[in-house]
Amino acid sequence: MRKQLLALALLATLTGCTDFPGVYKMDVPQGNTVTQEQIDQLRPGMTQSQVRYVMGTPLIEDTFHENRWDYVYHLVEEDKMRANQRVTLYFDKGLLARIEGDMRPGAEK
């Protein structure tokens, strides 16, 4: 009887590590959700506070690169990467100078 309980406990533990049917897998969004509408509102010469109002707080404000803000977004659904997007904003003397990354102002939706 004791061996059967031990085997059952071991089996239950191992099945928790596999893709057991009917088990809910949580979607895991990480970072800043950035839309094309937000990017379209950006204009060269905007102040950092104006950009923060449109885009929200950047995910990464590097202390070694004060004039660079990174907006990064990852979405994992059911253990598969569904979205991976990056937008980097560069400032010159506190004003938006250029945009790099996966989305551009005026791009097709």
Side-chain angles (χ1 to χ4, degrees):
M1 179 73 172
R2 190 172 184 179
K3 286 183 180 180
Q4 290 173 341
L5 288 175
L6 182 61
L8 186 60
L10 181 61
L11 181 63
T13 303
L14 291 176
T15 57
C17 299
T18 62
D19 290 332
F20 197 72
V23 175
Y24 175 75
K25 298 213 181 208
M26 181 188 259
D27 298 342
V28 183
Q30 296 179 328
N32 303 89
T33 303
V34 177
T35 65
Q36 186 63 49
E37 289 80 22
Q38 289 173 305
I39 298 294
D40 288 341
Q41 292 179 40
L42 297 178
R43 300 284 180 262
M46 291 176 78
T47 65
Q48 289 180 334
S49 62
Q50 289 172 323
V51 171
R52 190 180 303 266
Y53 179 78
V54 171
M55 299 288 292
T57 303
L59 184 65
I60 301 171
E61 281 186 76
D62 190 353
T63 55
F64 296 108
H65 303 99
E66 294 176 1
N67 295 323
R68 174 182 168 160
W69 289 0
D70 291 290
Y71 293 84
V72 181
Y73 180 72
H74 300 287
L75 175 61
V76 177
E77 291 178 344
E78 298 178 8
D79 293 336
K80 295 181 182 144
M81 181 67 76
R82 298 289 182 198
N84 188 14
Q85 129 191 119
R86 179 188 66 81
V87 175
T88 303
L89 306 178
Y90 293 93
F91 295 89
D92 184 27
K93 298 177 185 166
L95 302 177
L96 183 61
R98 72 180 198 271
I99 303 168
E100 292 181 358
D102 299 325
M103 291 192 279
R104 307 271 181 183
E108 293 293 320
K109 296 176 183 166

